Amino acid sequence: QLADKPTAAADIAAAVVGGRIFVPGGRLATGEVTNTLEIYDPREDTWSRGAPLPQARSAYALVAYEGKLYLFGGWDGAAFRASIFEYNPELDRWRERSPMFDARGYAGAVIAGDAIYIMGGYDGEKVLTANHAYFPGRDREGDDPWERASPLPEGRYAMGVASIADIVHVMGGTGEQAGFLALKYFPQRDEWQSFTSPISDTWSDFGLVVVETYLYAVGGVLDGAYTGKTLAYQAVYSINIPIVR
């Protein structure tokens, strides 16, 4: 048992920069949305606070890219938003960046190459298929940082999204169709490809992480009930071909 997070919150995400875990915003037990940034140091088992978000957010998408945090969209307590906030841990400072095409929450955010892909989500009325590429380097230089990419074959939100070998994997989530979604996205070709689904049930709100050549899906909601299920999928493998002389 380690030190508890000072502020209990749901609809959050976490990202690692410099060996510390950053957890912005979230939805409180009262239903209110907070702008608090809390930072955990695993070496010291201590929590500290950073500069608060410019606006309260929950149900956002979050990634760490080149030493900074990027927070996309989310719920502010009244509506879903299209805003992007960039956080510099060295300066302990947030700044707003070029907004997304669409307001949304519960989307997936993943890094592939020099872009961050924002996939799916929910805008308060419909489930989204949108897949947009954000280039932080362009944004810093004052150029248009957004490109529209091939949309998801079907709308999803609260799914697992992870990149391994620059191939994006989208798994599970909630959508208009039931069942477990299992897709690969190839940014170089801007193409989607399905792969064999490990389960047939609807599974959402789980954590999806990469460890070596495997994707691990943990917890979440399985067919409407909370679950401790853990599943591993080998996403990358090698084939050795013997040479006969």
Side-chain angles (χ1 to χ4, degrees), residues 47 67 101 104 110 114 130 158 164 198 205 211:
W47 286 90
F101 293 119
R104 54 178 135 169
V110 63
D114 58 350
I164 182 168
D205 301 281
V211 180

Side-chain angles (χ1 to χ4, degrees), residues 90-104:
E90 292 184 359
L91 302 178
D92 187 29
R93 182 184 301 164
W94 291 93
R95 64 182 299 182
E96 194 161 357
R97 287 299 191 179
S98 300
M100 300 185 290
F101 293 119
D102 309 300
R104 54 178 135 169

Side-chain angles (χ1 to χ4, degrees), residues 58-233:
S58 66
Y60 50 79
L62 183 72
V63 297
Y65 179 82
E66 294 186 343
K68 295 181 175 64
L69 298 180
Y70 290 87
L71 184 150
F72 298 87
W75 176 257
D76 70 355
F80 290 103
R81 298 297 178 185
S83 55
I84 299 177
F85 299 127
E86 176 195 84
Y87 176 73
N88 186 327
E90 292 184 359
L91 302 178
D92 187 29
R93 182 184 301 164
W94 291 93
R95 64 182 299 182
E96 194 161 357
R97 287 299 191 179
S98 300
M100 300 185 290
F101 293 119
D102 309 300
R104 54 178 135 169
Y106 301 104
V110 63
I111 298 166
D114 58 350
I116 302 170
Y117 288 84
I118 313 302
M119 299 177 168
Y122 180 68
D123 67 1
E125 295 183 357
K126 60 184 180 296
V127 184
L128 303 178
T129 61
N131 175 25
H132 299 148
Y134 172 75
F135 295 85
R138 294 184 193 174
D139 211 356
R140 288 193 293 270
E141 294 170 2
D143 298 327
D144 183 2
W146 287 101
E147 291 183 7
R148 296 181 188 271
S150 179
L152 285 154
E154 62 179 82
R156 287 279 161 155
Y157 69 93
M159 65 282 197
V161 180
S163 175
I164 182 168
D166 275 349
I167 300 171
V168 179
H169 293 73
V170 178
M171 301 173 66
T174 300
E176 295 177 354
Q177 300 182 39
F180 190 85
L181 191 71
L183 296 170
K184 295 179 183 180
Y185 174 69
F186 299 86
Q188 303 86 348
R189 306 197 302 266
D190 192 28
E191 291 179 359
W192 289 94
Q193 181 185 102
S194 61
F195 63 97
T196 303
S197 175
I199 61 174
S200 59
D201 301 318
T202 299
W203 191 12
S204 66
D205 301 281
F206 54 86
L208 184 68
V209 295
V210 175
V211 180
E212 297 178 347
T213 62
Y214 285 83
L215 295 171
Y216 288 87
V218 182
V221 179
L222 183 61
D223 271 357
Y226 291 101
T227 181
K229 189 179 185 71
T230 300
L231 183 145
Y233 172 76

Side-chain angles (χ1 to χ4, degrees), residues 15-26:
V16 178
V17 176
R20 295 186 298 165
I21 302 171
F22 294 78
V23 187

